[in-house]
Amino acid sequence: MDGRVFEAMAPFMNNHWGNPSSPYSFGNQARISVEKARARAAECLGCKPAEIIFTSCGTESDNLAVRGVARALLSRGNHIVTTAIEHHAVLNTCKALEAEGFRVTYLPVDSDGAVRLEDVEQSLRPDTILISIMHANNETGVIQPVEAIAALAKKQGIVFHTDAVQTAGKIPLRLCSTGADLISVSGHKIYGPKGTGMLFIRRGTPIQPLLTGGPHERSVRAGTENVAGIVGLSVALALAMESAESECARLQNLRDGFETQIDSAVPRIKINGASAPRVPNTSSVSFESVDGESIVLGLDLRGIYVSTGSACSTGDPEPSHVLLAMGLSPKEAQGSVRISLGKSTREGDIRTVVDALAQTVTRLRGISSIENTDTMR
Ligand code: PLP
């Protein structure tokens, strides 16, 4: 967490303990802080404060958007369009909705990991009530054409949700300018607290709450507000937006440098999504004849922390659904790792990681049974 975020949150975990729903003065102070945080967050996204609902995480924001809109619009239709590469917070919500009787189209992506606008257009039906397509993919960083999808959805009168957990504060863009009706954001991707999130809901968008109870968050999300978390999330987003332009350029330079260096240091690799527009902090690399999990463990021993697929699927033996959807074979997908850069990443770190990766992959290929018994070529 950014130290400035921690400092902004600390008073709300000890001195300012008031409940924002309580009428006494301590409660009022907390209410004012929540509303200031809402205004700060709205300014970052480019919307009205009343269009922000604070949640407990990106997953809850996705659930609220997809389930909430689907259930609210059931009398109009029951068809939802999404993609095969969504985060499980959207994918599994869609699967659960299918069990309730909704119909879902899971659109494919091209070999660079981007959905085609024509596919979105062709999937729409008179009973389509919701399109949910992520802004940038969490495994490859590939940015989807959400502005064009939003325009298409608007023309057809269909609600459009985008999971912007990977772009909020990472690119210099006020996200509401994409034209999406609902936008999910998570705190811990932007040096904010874990367990915080928010959902932009464009005024007038029909939505049914997931949590019922008191009238908190305009009766869209019942439950006493996490005041410290809400303040922390809004400060984290404001700080991320402040430096997004310079940080984006700096990380892109480092990421591109990393990819050039790893490509010349290690034979038989593939950078996934390399020719698509991507967020600058993510690199997904497939190493032929090596198991990604072994690379993760090998680098961990050297104090370098990378992941296979998404962090939320750690421990899942299945190859990444995102890489499979891009046309990689199960073996190629299983030989992939995702490297994330952040605000503390410097040029020297890139060199260190390239050297460590080259040594780890060479060693693993030397002892690999896949390498000795199998050819992926
Ligand atoms: N959506 C995307 C694209 C993500 O990358 C993540 C987290 O990694 C989530 C949703 C879930 O967010 P959270 O971990 O805050 O629930």
Side-chain angles (χ1 to χ4, degrees), residues 166-185:
Q166 294 291 338
T167 50
K170 303 276 184 205
I171 53 174
L173 180 74
R174 285 199 157 70
L175 289 170
C176 290
S177 69
T178 59
D181 299 306
L182 301 109
I183 300 174
S184 301
V185 175

Side-chain angles (χ1 to χ4, degrees), residues 159-321:
V159 175
F160 174 48
H161 163 244
T162 191
D163 173 341
V165 166
Q166 294 291 338
T167 50
K170 303 276 184 205
I171 53 174
L173 180 74
R174 285 199 157 70
L175 289 170
C176 290
S177 69
T178 59
D181 299 306
L182 301 109
I183 300 174
S184 301
V185 175
S186 169
H188 68 101
K189 305 292 176 193
I190 46 176
Y191 306 98
K194 292 182 189 64
T196 61
M198 63 187 195
L199 181 66
F200 157 75
I201 309 176
R202 189 177 297 286
R203 196 164 155 240
T205 307
I207 193 147
Q208 208 180 83
L210 300 184
L211 303 182
T212 46
H216 313 87
E217 298 295 289
R218 295 177 176 74
S219 295
V220 176
R221 202 261 181 190
T224 299
E225 297 86 344
N226 170 8
V227 181
I230 287 170
V231 169
L233 167 64
S234 71
V235 170
L237 184 59
L239 290 171
M241 289 296 288
E242 243 173 64
S243 61
E245 194 157 346
S246 56
E247 197 51 7
C248 198
R250 190 184 75 83
L251 289 180
Q252 181 152 345
N253 197 25
L254 288 178
R255 196 265 319 271
D256 292 350
F258 163 74
E259 292 181 349
T260 308
Q261 290 177 44
I262 197 69
D263 194 41
S264 58
V266 185
R268 292 182 286 135
I269 71 161
K270 180 174 187 281
I271 314 281
N272 299 306
S275 29
R278 283 180 291 161
V279 285
N281 58 312
T282 307
S283 183
S284 165
V285 190
S286 299
F287 297 88
E288 200 178 294
S289 308
V290 195
D291 180 39
E293 203 71 34
S294 306
I295 299 178
V296 171
L297 297 177
L299 291 185
D300 186 20
L301 293 174
R302 296 163 176 255
I304 298 167
Y305 310 111
V306 303
S307 56
T308 57
S310 95
C312 317
S313 322
T314 301
D316 182 351
E318 291 304 308
S320 149
H321 67 287

Side-chain angles (χ1 to χ4, degrees), residues 108-151:
V109 290
D110 63 20
S111 57
D112 263 323
V115 69
R116 295 176 209 86
L117 192 60
E118 314 86 82
D119 287 349
V120 181
E121 198 159 10
Q122 277 162 23
S123 70
L124 302 180
R125 315 188 319 206
D127 61 346
T128 307
I129 48 172
L130 172 68
I131 304 173
S132 178
I133 295 182
M134 68 198 325
H135 196 184
N137 182 266
N138 45 306
E139 294 186 34
T140 60
V142 172
I143 297 176
Q144 307 300 321
V146 289
E147 286 87 354
I149 299 169

Side-chain angles (χ1 to χ4, degrees), residues 10-32:
F12 297 95
M13 290 186 280
N14 44 41
N15 299 332
H16 303 316
W17 43 263
N19 182 332
S21 299
S22 298
Y24 47 71
S25 57
F26 261 5
N28 248 332
Q29 279 168 13
R31 163 65 44 211
I32 289 167

